Amino acid sequence: IAHPRPAPLLDLLVAAGLCASKGEARRLVAQDGVRLDDAPVKDAALVVERPAKLSAGRKRHVLVRVG
């Protein structure tokens, strides 16, 4: 997925189709189900500012291009 500027993590999860809503994305972050470049994400308010691998669960992965 490509995004023209830095974007909040929750928006990227929904835009990539990894979560159906921001509420679902928040729950997934709270349950340690989201990883950014294979590192667990603890903060739902994180803003992604660089290209990265975004993962939700074990089998859903997306490459995010920002900027």
Side-chain angles (χ1 to χ4, degrees), residues 34-59:
V34 176
R35 292 178 173 266
L36 190 65
D37 287 334
D38 296 324
V41 175
K42 301 289 184 186
D43 182 16
L46 178 73
V47 174
V48 179
E49 299 177 347
R50 58 179 175 76
K53 175 183 161 188
L54 184 59
S55 304
R58 289 187 180 190
K59 297 184 179 183

Side-chain angles (χ1 to χ4, degrees), residues 17-32:
L18 296 175
C19 293
S21 67
K22 287 185 182 180
E24 180 183 339
R26 274 188 209 94
R27 282 190 293 276
L28 199 58
V29 169
Q31 296 169 357
D32 294 331

Side-chain angles (χ1 to χ4, degrees), residues 50-66:
R50 58 179 175 76
K53 175 183 161 188
L54 184 59
S55 304
R58 289 187 180 190
K59 297 184 179 183
R60 297 179 294 163
H61 311 281
V62 174
L63 291 177
V64 177
R65 289 185 297 164
V66 178

